[in-house]
Amino acid sequence: MAELLARRLGTRAQTSLEVNALVSGARPEAMAAQARELQAAGFQTFKLKVGADSAEADLQRVTMLREALGSEPRIRLDANG
């Protein structure tokens, strides 16, 4: 399908599609461990749900995730509206 669409648009077909890993959990230590496992499995983009708790708690979770993953991986924040 990608080849057919690309030919029709006069572009090259994309050969891969990056997906994100969902990081979840109530305990920061467990979230950090989960994120490192997912990173070791090859994920480079991570999604974290926010907005259900205080802004301060969300900031702490985002900070913990960034510290666990390092500076290169992307982090998506999902506030669900």
Side-chain angles (χ1 to χ4, degrees), residues 20-52:
N20 59 239
L22 175 62
V23 178
S24 61
R27 293 186 6 253
E29 304 82 19
M31 288 178 58
Q34 179 188 39
R36 286 191 290 270
E37 287 176 16
L38 291 165
Q39 188 177 34
F43 286 94
Q44 288 299 306
T45 302
F46 299 83
K47 181 170 86 169
L48 182 64
K49 298 266 187 185
V50 296

Side-chain angles (χ1 to χ4, degrees), residues 1-7 13:
M1 183 59 79
E3 290 290 336
L4 291 172
L5 291 172
R7 245 183 270 133

